[in-house]
Amino acid sequence: MELEMELLLQKARENVEAAQSYRRELGQRLQEAQRQIKESASRTRDVLKQHFSDLKETLGKLLDERLVTLLQEVDTIEQETIKPLDDCQKLIEHGVNTAEDLVQEGEIAILGGIEEQNEKLWSFTKKASHIQLDSLPEVPLLVDVPCLSAQLDDSILNIVKDHIFKHGTVASRPPVQIEELIEKPGGIIVRWCKVDDDFTAQDYRLQFRKCTSHHFEDVYVGSETEFIVLHIDPNVDYQFRVCARGDGRQEWSPWSIPQIGHSTLVPHEWTTGFEGYSLSSRRNIALRNDSESSGVLYSRAPTYFCGQTLTFRVETVGQPDHRDSIGVCAEKQSGCDSLQRDQAVCISTNGAVFVNGKEMTNQLPAVTSGSTVTFDIETMTLGTTNNNEGGNFKLRVTISSNNREVVFDWLLDQSCGSLYFGCSFFYPGWKVLVF
């Protein structure tokens, strides 16, 4: 009886502890939600104040610039139209002054002696005969000269008022959110979705940063709702956020709530030092160069594990050859020109599929620039099988390319916890990214 009571009491304690733990978790989530509302509201207030402050400053500058332009037009019209009138005024004043001087000269001649008078009268008469007292410039009527005025359309106030009253919105939540983060070797697949049914998205914009960094950087802009972010260092936390641009709009929506993700998978790398291939700095891109050296370029280590998806993306193409190959193998074999051999599965650039060196009946489309080839392998048998094909272990392989796929069983002599990947091209120009 006492044992039963102790068990019941222990059970009750466990239930209480579980309930308390759950309440603490709910309380923490509630605090996080409250903090998000308050912090986002504070940020939004700051953004609105700064934006409208900048807007007022910009509008003030634009109005000042327009005022200066109009005043310059007034000055130009005034200067260009007043000059002929000033010239006319000078001619009139000059004629009046000349006439007054001549009259004064005549009066002096009359007051002089007879001999002096005759000489001065002769001079006065000569000057008077040459002067044209009635030759004056034509003075325009008031209706023929400019009368400046300013024409200002008050309707601009209503237009500006309507635009201002419609400018800006406050959203309670972003129209798009990150839905899923999927780790890949050396990368993370980011998937997002719309959460506002009334919002029609035209483009999406994805950004990421290390959690230790202060600045996000653009990694994708387009209409897709999924993107793989490459060059991810393993076991390092990254933040991702996405926004959208509405149909027919220029501005971007508010950013989604940042999501943190990381990859624990070791990045896939090609083997360095192969004369026939040039590698990128992260050794995940291989370019077939002009070297006459041929053979299979293998991965640095057997980093592909069953249950994962291995992806090859063909960045550029060269001249195809039926011996070309892209695929996986149980072990490296030196001296082979292609993965079209035993203990390997591959696809050729013409779309032919090979299993342990034998070509399958089913084919895939030919590999072109931008093609993505994926390998998905699952373990089917972990022991000895009775078959006539020589293999003791069976793997289910799915190869997909250009919206087509082939599924087949791959028989190996021994179990492989991990596999190598490789490629071989007989002509230069082929560039392959692996992730």
Side-chain angles (χ1 to χ4, degrees):
M1 186 66 179
E2 292 180 359
L3 180 60
E4 292 181 358
M5 290 298 294
E6 289 180 1
L7 292 175
L8 289 175
L9 185 60
Q10 179 65 25
K11 185 65 175 178
R13 289 197 191 98
E14 293 176 354
N15 290 338
V16 170
E17 290 176 356
Q20 289 177 341
S21 176
Y22 182 63
R23 288 192 181 94
R24 284 194 295 269
E25 181 182 349
L26 290 179
Q28 184 178 359
R29 288 164 56 186
L30 182 61
Q31 290 176 357
E32 292 176 352
Q34 292 172 333
R35 183 167 58 251
Q36 177 173 297
I37 293 173
K38 291 180 180 179
E39 291 179 354
S40 62
S42 177
R43 287 195 304 269
T44 302
R45 290 189 191 96
D46 293 340
V47 169
L48 288 172
K49 291 177 182 178
Q50 185 63 47
H51 174 76
F52 277 86
S53 175
D54 295 342
L55 192 61
K56 283 194 291 185
E57 182 179 352
T58 302
L59 288 175
K61 290 181 180 179
L62 292 175
L63 290 173
D64 290 340
E65 291 176 1
R66 183 56 181 164
L67 176 59
V68 170
T69 300
L70 292 174
L71 292 177
Q72 289 175 345
E73 290 184 15
V74 172
D75 294 341
T76 300
I77 295 175
E78 180 184 26
Q79 293 171 5
E80 291 179 350
T81 56
I82 203 72
K83 186 177 185 304
L85 298 181
D86 289 340
D87 294 341
C88 181
Q89 178 71 23
K90 291 178 181 178
L91 287 174
I92 293 174
E93 291 177 355
H94 176 72
V96 171
N97 293 334
T98 302
E100 289 178 350
D101 293 342
L102 188 59
V103 170
Q104 185 177 4
E105 184 178 346
E107 291 175 349
I108 294 174
I110 293 174
L111 296 176
I114 295 177
E115 184 176 350
E116 182 183 2
Q117 183 181 36
N118 289 337
E119 184 179 350
K120 290 184 177 181
L121 286 174
W122 181 83
S123 175
F124 169 77
T125 304
K126 184 178 179 181
K127 290 180 180 180
S129 63
H130 286 88
I131 192 172
Q132 296 179 352
L133 297 176
D134 59 347
S135 178
L136 297 173
E138 181 180 359
V139 178
L141 299 176
L142 292 179
V143 296
D144 296 328
V145 297
C147 181
L148 278 69
S149 63
Q151 297 179 350
L152 303 172
D153 188 0
D154 292 338
S155 65
I156 190 175
L157 296 177
N158 294 327
I159 296 174
V160 172
K161 187 196 309 183
D162 290 341
H163 280 283
I164 289 177
F165 285 168
K166 295 177 182 177
H167 180 66
T169 58
V170 176
S172 60
R173 56 178 55 85
V176 291
Q177 293 286 5
I178 292 177
E179 184 178 29
E180 189 176 16
L181 299 174
I182 304 173
E183 65 174 346
K184 297 281 289 182
I188 295 178
I189 295 177
V190 185
R191 291 175 180 164
W192 57 90
C193 63
K194 280 198 321 171
V195 294
D196 185 353
D197 294 335
D198 297 328
F199 183 84
T200 302
Q202 174 180 313
D203 292 307
Y204 298 98
R205 180 182 177 189
L206 176 65
Q207 291 187 337
F208 85 117
R209 70 178 179 185
K210 287 184 178 180
C211 287
T212 54
S213 174
H214 297 290
H215 302 288
F216 281 94
E217 59 180 279
D218 287 335
V219 69
Y220 172 76
V221 175
S223 58
E224 301 295 328
T225 57
E226 176 182 312
F227 185 77
I228 180 167
V229 182
L230 298 174
H231 310 315
I232 294 293
D233 295 326
N235 301 309
V236 174
D237 286 338
Y238 290 83
Q239 273 192 332
F240 301 87
R241 67 180 186 180
V242 66
C243 66
R245 181 162 50 198
D247 191 18
R249 305 295 294 270
Q250 294 296 322
E251 71 278 5
W252 292 100
S253 73
W255 290 104
S256 66
I257 298 173
Q259 299 292 328
I260 297 177
H262 65 272
S263 176
T264 60
L265 305 177
V266 177
H268 293 314
E269 295 180 5
W270 299 102
T271 298
T272 58
F274 201 130
E275 185 179 350
Y277 294 85
S278 304
L279 305 184
S280 63
S281 59
R282 286 182 174 261
R283 298 177 293 279
N284 60 342
I285 300 176
L287 171 65
R288 181 66 168 94
N289 55 37
D290 295 331
S291 172
E292 295 182 357
S293 176
S294 62
V296 177
L297 175 66
Y298 291 103
S299 58
R300 180 182 60 83
T303 52
Y304 174 71
F305 295 87
C306 293
Q308 298 178 355
T309 298
L310 179 66
T311 304
F312 300 92
R313 189 167 69 205
V314 179
E315 305 289 324
T316 61
V317 299
Q319 180 180 338
D321 187 278
H322 70 277
R323 296 167 294 178
D324 295 337
S325 62
I326 302 174
V328 297
C329 58
E331 57 185 15
K332 295 182 180 181
Q333 290 185 10
S334 59
C336 294
D337 289 337
S338 174
L339 286 174
Q340 299 174 18
R341 60 169 176 80
D342 190 34
Q343 303 295 293
V345 293
C346 67
I347 176 177
S348 180
T349 52
N350 62 9
V353 177
F354 292 84
V355 183
N356 287 336
K358 297 180 180 179
E359 183 176 354
M360 293 185 60
T361 304
N362 295 331
Q363 286 196 346
L364 292 171
V367 176
T368 59
S369 179
S371 290
T372 298
V373 181
T374 62
F375 287 75
D376 290 276
I377 302 178
E378 298 178 8
T379 301
M380 301 299 293
T381 305
L382 295 177
T384 304
T385 60
N386 294 322
N387 58 74
N388 297 322
E389 300 182 26
N392 295 324
F393 296 91
K394 182 191 297 185
L395 302 178
R396 179 66 50 82
V397 181
T398 302
I399 305 178
S400 303
S401 177
N402 295 329
N403 298 319
R404 293 269 305 277
E405 68 177 30
V406 293
V407 182
F408 55 89
D409 290 337
W410 179 24
L411 300 178
L412 295 174
D413 293 336
Q414 59 185 4
S415 175
C416 293
S418 58
L419 299 168
Y420 290 91
F421 58 85
C423 68
S424 63
F425 302 101
F426 282 80
Y427 295 99
W430 293 91
K431 182 192 290 187
V432 180
L433 164 68
V434 60
F435 58 88

